[in-house]
């Protein structure tokens, strides 16, 4: 932090005589060298410092006596390895990690015994389990409201300490561990409203129901290669994100049961559609689906539709389309639907499937396309698929499709399709 407030009063020169009139001087931070920031109360200083890393907060102790102990009562502890390593010179990576770990322990030991609002750890390297456990223990003891841990541990999954499940003050939790994190059968966090879970392995999802006030849930990079049924049963859930859903890490035929009657926003990003078991999404308004179309194996799993024959050569392609359609149909109450162009391409390859499974989006008002390309083509039969069920899209011809990120658009007989819809 750099504070420069300088301007001295001009003194009369030796060959000048004083005028005899009193000189009026305004009290100003500029002509009195006043450090106005240091006069602020601690609560405001802590708010300012909440935007910087812990190592930068500690460095303020050299500014003046006023700042010597400010960091010891700072309630926002953000430990970022990249920031720390940029401030020290070391030829060995292990030394940087060890110094970073020692720094965290020194801060925790020397900090005043006061409430902590947020504790954050960000180090995308192999981290000691003891460090994560110590941070969580400290957070619980000091009634923290927000915990964010983004790290890696490759030997064995990180296990949460028992005291963590008794944290009544916790409102926001991010646990993202490359290499895996072992989850219990129940979290029991009564005050938790926001949960971001990444890297968890082979859990059935029932832990979510143990957080009765959970409103925002993000699931990322999870591995379910031994789980047949994945449950998300949260009565007060409003926003759900399932990201990086990869078929190589999901058991073949794994089905998702989603019961969230208050859910209004859903986002999905993966390379294989979700297999629904049971869904209750009566309040859903906004849906965002991105399908990363990579190389699907010949044994790609697909729904068996009664009285519908799929030839062996079409098994992978048509099976993917049927899975995608069945996934999208569960969002029938959505008013806004955002789709990646990969989805449009997949739907356009099997037009017969669209005819056999008509669009259920009767409430749809906005259809948005997400693409990185400047030139976009939407086949007429795909556009018609969404138009046939939505009276709003029929009436609003020019607003039937809203472009995402300002890409250009080719209708491909869309006008004829709109007029006949």
């Amino acid at each position: 932090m750099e504070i420069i407030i300088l301007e001295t009063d001009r003194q009369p020169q030796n060959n000048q005589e004083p005028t005899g009139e009193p000189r009026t001087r305004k009290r100003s931070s500029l002509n009195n060298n006043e450090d106005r920031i240091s006069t602020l109360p601690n609560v405001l200083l802590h708010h300012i410092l909440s935007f910087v890393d812990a190592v930068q907060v500690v460095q303020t102790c050299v500014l003046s006596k006023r700042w010597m102990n400010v960091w010891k009562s700072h309630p926002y502890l953000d430990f970022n390895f990249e920031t720390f390593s940029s401030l020290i010179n070391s030829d060995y990576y292990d030394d940087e990690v060890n110094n970073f770990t020692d720094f965290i322990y020194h801060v925790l030991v020397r900090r005043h015994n006061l409430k902590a609002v947020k504790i954050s750890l960000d180090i995308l390297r192999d981290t000691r389990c003891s460090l994560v456990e110590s941070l969580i223990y400290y957070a619980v003891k000091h009634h923290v409201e927000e915990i964010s841990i983004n790290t890696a541990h490759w030997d064995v999954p990180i296990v949460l300490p028992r005291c963590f499940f008794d944290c009544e003050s916790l409102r926001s939790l991010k646990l993202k561990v490359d290499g895996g994190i072992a989850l219990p059968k129940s979290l029991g966090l009564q005050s938790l409203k926001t949960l971001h879970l990444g890297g968890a392995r082979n859990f059935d999802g029932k832990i979510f129901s143990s957080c009765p006030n959970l409103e925002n849930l993000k699931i990322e990079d999870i591995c379910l290669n031994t789980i047949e049924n994945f449950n998300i049963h949260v009565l007060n859930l409003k926003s759900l994100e399932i990201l990086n859903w990869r078929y190589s890490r999901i058991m073949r035929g794994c089905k998702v049961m989603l019961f969230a009657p208050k859910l209004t926003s859903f986002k999905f990003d993966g390379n294989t559609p979700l297999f629904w078991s049971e869904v209750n999404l009566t309040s859903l308004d906004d849906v965002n689906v991105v399908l990363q179309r990579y190389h699907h194996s010949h044994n790609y799993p697909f729904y068996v539709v009664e009285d519908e024959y799929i030839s062996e050569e079409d098994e992978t392609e048509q099976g993917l389309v049927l899975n995608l359609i069945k996934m999208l149909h569960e969002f029938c109450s959505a008013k806004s639907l955002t789709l990646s162009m990969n989805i449009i391409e997949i739907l356009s390859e099997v037009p017969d499937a669209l005819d056999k499974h008509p669009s259920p989006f009767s409430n749809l008002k906005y259809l948005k396309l997400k693409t990185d390309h400047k030139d976009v083509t939407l086949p007429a039969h795909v556009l018609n698929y969404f138009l046939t069920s939505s009276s709003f899209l029929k009436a609003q011809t020019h607003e039937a499709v809203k472009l995402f990120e300002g890409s250009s658009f080719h209708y491909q007989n869309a006008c004829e399709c709109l007029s006949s819809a």
Side-chain angles (χ1 to χ4, degrees):
M1 179 179 293
E2 184 178 5
I3 304 175
I4 303 176
I5 309 176
L6 293 175
E7 183 173 328
T8 57
D9 293 334
R10 291 185 177 181
Q11 298 296 331
Q13 298 180 1
N14 293 335
N15 58 355
Q16 292 181 345
E17 295 181 2
T19 61
E21 297 179 359
R23 190 175 185 179
T24 303
R25 296 194 305 173
K26 296 181 179 180
R27 294 185 59 86
S28 168
S29 60
L30 294 179
N31 54 25
N32 285 301
N33 298 334
E34 182 182 358
D35 180 2
R36 299 182 66 182
I37 293 181
S38 295
T39 62
L40 296 175
N42 276 6
V43 62
L44 291 182
L45 294 180
H46 290 323
H47 176 71
I48 295 172
L49 295 175
S50 67
F51 298 98
V52 299
D53 182 82
V55 65
Q56 296 168 318
V57 174
V58 174
Q59 286 177 328
T60 61
C61 68
V62 302
L63 295 177
S64 67
K65 290 183 178 181
R66 168 70 177 93
W67 289 87
M68 189 174 297
N69 294 312
V70 170
W71 69 271
K72 294 182 179 180
S73 59
H74 188 53
Y76 304 92
L77 305 179
D78 184 4
F79 300 106
N80 187 287
F81 177 74
E82 295 299 327
T83 303
F84 181 86
S85 61
S86 67
L87 299 175
I88 62 174
N89 295 319
S90 176
D91 296 330
Y92 301 98
Y93 169 75
D94 289 342
D95 290 343
E96 291 184 354
V97 174
N98 291 333
N99 290 335
F100 179 66
T101 302
D102 291 341
F103 168 74
I104 293 176
Y105 284 128
H106 281 299
V107 171
L108 298 183
V109 169
R110 297 182 182 182
R111 184 179 178 273
H112 293 159
N113 189 24
L114 299 173
K115 174 183 171 63
V117 175
K118 178 182 178 180
I119 292 182
S120 175
L121 173 66
D122 195 340
I123 173 172
L124 299 180
R125 308 288 182 177
D126 201 354
T127 308
R128 304 176 191 172
C129 288
S130 58
L131 175 60
V132 176
E133 292 174 358
S134 296
L135 279 174
I136 292 178
Y137 178 80
Y138 187 90
V140 174
K141 184 179 179 181
H142 291 83
H143 310 289
V144 75
E145 296 179 10
E146 182 176 353
I147 296 176
S148 177
I149 295 178
N150 184 20
T151 186
H153 187 75
W154 300 104
D155 293 339
V156 293
I158 290 180
V159 179
L160 300 174
R162 287 188 176 183
C163 65
F164 172 74
F165 308 108
D166 298 324
C167 187
E168 298 180 355
S169 60
L170 190 62
R171 296 179 177 272
S172 177
L173 173 63
K174 176 182 178 180
L175 289 174
K176 187 177 179 182
V177 182
D178 288 344
I181 181 170
L183 294 174
K185 293 183 179 180
S186 174
L187 285 177
L189 299 173
Q190 301 297 313
S191 302
L192 191 67
K193 290 193 173 184
T194 300
L195 175 60
H196 181 179
L197 195 60
R201 297 179 179 178
N202 293 321
F203 68 109
D204 58 12
K206 293 181 180 180
I207 60 170
F208 302 133
S209 61
S210 65
C211 304
N213 293 305
L214 189 62
E215 295 181 356
N216 306 290
L217 175 61
K218 179 187 289 187
I219 307 169
E220 186 175 6
D221 288 318
I222 61 174
C223 179
L224 303 176
N225 52 19
T226 65
I227 302 298
E228 295 182 358
N229 295 286
F230 187 68
N231 301 275
I232 303 177
H233 190 288
V234 188
L235 295 178
N236 291 312
L237 192 65
K238 297 178 180 179
S239 174
L240 173 63
E241 296 183 38
I242 301 178
L243 307 179
N244 206 10
W245 183 269
R246 294 181 288 176
Y247 68 85
S248 62
R249 305 186 66 186
I250 307 297
M251 183 178 181
R252 177 167 178 166
C254 175
K255 294 184 178 181
V256 178
M257 185 179 74
L258 177 57
F259 184 82
K262 295 183 180 180
L263 190 71
T264 59
S265 175
F266 177 83
K267 182 177 181 180
F268 174 83
D269 190 324
N271 63 5
T272 184
L274 289 171
F275 287 12
W276 297 115
S277 172
E278 181 180 342
V279 181
N280 186 328
L281 300 174
T282 55
S283 300
L284 192 61
D285 288 332
D286 184 66
V287 175
N288 189 321
V289 181
V290 175
L291 191 64
Q292 305 291 347
R293 193 176 185 187
Y294 299 125
H295 298 288
H296 295 288
S297 65
H298 178 71
N299 294 323
Y300 181 83
F302 61 94
Y303 285 105
V304 178
V305 182
E306 188 175 356
D307 298 329
E308 185 165 6
Y309 172 74
I310 301 178
S311 63
E312 183 177 351
E313 58 271 16
D314 293 335
E315 177 179 306
T316 301
E317 181 179 278
Q318 191 161 346
L320 176 61
V321 174
L322 293 176
N323 289 346
L324 178 58
I325 290 176
K326 189 161 186 178
M327 173 185 172
L328 294 176
H329 277 206
E330 297 298 342
F331 307 136
C332 57
S333 63
K335 296 178 182 178
S336 175
L337 182 62
T338 301
L339 302 176
S340 65
M341 281 305 300
N342 283 340
I343 293 179
I344 301 300
E345 293 171 1
I346 293 171
L347 293 177
S348 66
E349 291 175 358
V350 188
D352 291 343
L354 299 182
D355 296 335
K356 294 179 181 178
H357 306 278
S359 170
F361 298 102
S362 57
N363 297 326
L364 192 62
K365 293 184 177 181
Y366 304 102
L367 176 61
K368 306 176 185 180
L369 306 181
K370 187 172 184 179
T371 177
D372 296 329
H373 303 289
K374 295 182 179 180
D375 205 14
V376 178
T377 299
L378 179 61
H381 67 278
V382 177
L383 178 59
N384 190 43
Y385 172 73
F386 293 101
L387 289 176
T388 52
S389 61
S390 175
S391 57
F392 182 88
L393 290 180
K394 291 178 183 178
Q396 303 295 327
T397 302
H398 297 291
E399 294 184 2
V401 178
K402 289 202 170 183
L403 301 182
F404 195 87
E405 297 179 350
S407 299
S408 61
F409 183 75
H410 293 296
Y411 280 92
Q412 227 186 48
N413 299 326
C415 293
E416 178 182 352
C417 176
L418 285 167
S419 61
S420 62

